[in-house]
Amino acid sequence: MTDAPAARQEAVDVVFQSFNRYLGVAVGEHLGYLFSGAWSVLAGVAMIQSTAVPALLGIMGIVVGAVLALCSLEFVGSFEPHGWKLAATLTPVTYVVWSLWLVAVGVVLLL
């Protein structure tokens, strides 16, 4: 690609950046975090109303889900160019906690 004219290289870069922002950030990250968080909140509410698992697991699901939904705002609005630092810090930690919560729910349901 180094032999391509500068205009072509710039056009390829614009297309790549556009698809990356739309599919990678908007669809992948924003909607992925938002729907994972919403599902976790709803699953937590269902767990609180059920006797199959301890209510504490439901409460943890609601909290973790709400934080995941909050993390979906990392590149929304005025944060779009550089990202929201709080969400960028919370997202990896929250996903580890969310994964541990999923494992705990699975273990409790199997026992």
Side-chain angles (χ1 to χ4, degrees), residues 37-90:
W39 178 86
S40 300
V41 168
L42 293 174
V45 169
M47 287 177 200
I48 289 173
Q49 297 173 351
S50 170
T51 58
V53 296
L56 179 61
L57 279 177
I59 293 168
M60 288 174 55
I62 292 170
V63 171
V64 170
V67 175
L68 275 178
L70 178 70
C71 289
S72 74
L73 301 175
E74 182 177 359
F75 292 104
V76 174
S78 62
F79 302 117
E80 193 268 330
H82 304 290
W84 183 22
K85 301 292 185 233
L86 176 62
T89 304
L90 284 176

Side-chain angles (χ1 to χ4, degrees), residues 6 8 10 18-19 30 35 45 47 52 54 63-64 69 71 82-83 95:
R8 183 174 180 184
E10 188 174 329
S18 299
F19 275 102
H30 176 67
F35 289 147
V45 169
M47 287 177 200
V63 171
V64 170
C71 289
H82 304 290
Y95 258 104

